[in-house]
Amino acid sequence: MGCCGNDDDGGDGGEPPHPSPARTPDLSSPPSSAASDDSTISPMNSHFAALACRDTLRIIFEKLPVPDLARASCVCRIWSSVASDRDMVTRAFAAPWRLKEVVGVPSSGSFWRDNGIGKFAISHRIKRGDSVASLAVKYSVQVMDIKRLNNMMSDHGIYSRERLLIPISNPDILIDATCYIERDNHAKREVAVLYPEGVRDIEISSLLKRTTSEQGKKRILDSLRRSMQVDDGTAQYYLSISDGDPRAALSEFSEDLRWERQVGLA
């Protein structure tokens, strides 16, 4: 009996008892309440209803840079609707550069996802005696950067154009500036174009002179319609109330869009 007692108790002469194996946590079951209290806040957690409130989201998203705003639009449907709001993305696009205004509507929403300095350009109206090299010196940029932006294979391409897009080397020029989203047919891309003081008026007056022919008017109307993403009648209306000034028409259109969103019509 003593031996049996020793065997049962793991005493002298018997093998020591084997330790019980450690219990593997069940990962398939939800965490306990204590664990969930320490977990990261999730926007999909029903306990955080405030993160599904449009007004709250708007206040938060207004402080986000463009990359984070793009990520927020992928979280859920309501986040996407707030993060994709036209005023929201325009503000985020302009904020780092302290732009006064961004006029125009890009053909694709992906335009807003990148607001690097390469997205902006100065519009230079070509004058007699201009060359790519002289413009590079004037604007303190590289010759190859001008060619790359304007899709030019050689310096001779300048003579078939009325303007060149110049890369921006000094970001300070964007402060309190108004940029116009345009698609340049030669560059084959959409760019936020800056018209420096004194140059923009020349650009517009030259553009208006070219609209004297019916063919010229049609080209301007087609360009305006594509920029606004509207039908011919709407583009014609804004052109008419702006005395034929296409940039003023874009400004009027943008103001109307902003008003519609404020009153909840858009």
Side-chain angles (χ1 to χ4, degrees), residues 50-111:
L51 296 181
C53 173
R54 289 180 180 274
D55 291 338
T56 303
L57 290 175
R58 193 170 288 109
I59 293 173
I60 297 173
F61 289 175
E62 285 178 350
K63 304 180 183 300
L64 296 181
V66 167
D68 291 342
L69 199 60
R71 295 186 188 100
S73 66
C74 301
V75 173
C76 60
R77 185 175 299 177
I78 188 170
W79 281 39
S80 177
S81 65
V82 176
S84 302
D85 178 75
R86 172 70 159 63
D87 289 339
M88 184 74 65
V89 294
T90 303
R91 188 181 297 110
F93 183 86
W97 310 111
R98 296 162 61 186
L99 289 167
K100 178 182 179 181
E101 187 178 10
V102 178
V103 179
V105 180
S107 59
S108 172
S110 61
F111 178 89

Side-chain angles (χ1 to χ4, degrees), residues 122-244:
I122 298 171
S123 177
H124 175 87
R125 179 168 172 76
I126 297 174
K127 305 178 182 67
R128 180 177 296 180
D130 281 344
S131 67
V132 178
S134 67
L135 293 179
V137 173
K138 177 180 179 179
Y139 291 98
S140 301
V141 296
Q142 298 295 320
V143 169
M144 285 307 301
D145 291 338
I146 295 178
K147 289 183 177 180
R148 188 180 299 110
L149 178 58
N150 291 274
N151 197 28
M152 295 174 60
M153 299 300 295
S154 69
D155 293 356
H156 300 293
I158 191 175
Y159 303 117
S160 62
R161 309 180 186 207
E162 296 182 355
R163 79 162 181 183
L164 278 184
L165 297 176
I166 308 297
I168 292 179
S169 59
N170 181 12
D172 290 344
I173 197 175
L174 295 173
I175 298 175
D176 293 328
T178 297
C179 289
Y180 298 83
I181 299 175
E182 300 176 358
R183 176 174 177 79
D184 188 272
N185 291 331
H186 290 289
K188 297 181 179 179
R189 69 180 70 185
E190 285 186 311
V191 187
V193 181
L194 173 67
Y195 290 83
E197 185 178 359
V199 176
R200 182 185 170 199
D201 293 337
I202 297 174
E203 195 82 22
I204 291 174
S205 62
S206 174
L207 188 62
L208 293 178
K209 288 178 182 178
R210 296 199 303 271
T211 63
T212 53
S213 67
E214 289 300 323
Q215 185 177 4
K217 290 180 180 179
K218 187 177 186 304
R219 285 201 300 269
I220 296 302
L221 188 63
D222 288 344
S223 177
L224 197 61
R225 175 178 54 80
R226 289 194 299 270
S227 296
M228 293 179 173
Q229 295 183 324
V230 297
D231 55 34
D232 288 343
T234 303
Q236 181 63 58
Y237 165 75
Y238 282 99
L239 194 61
S240 63
I241 66 174
S242 304
D243 296 327

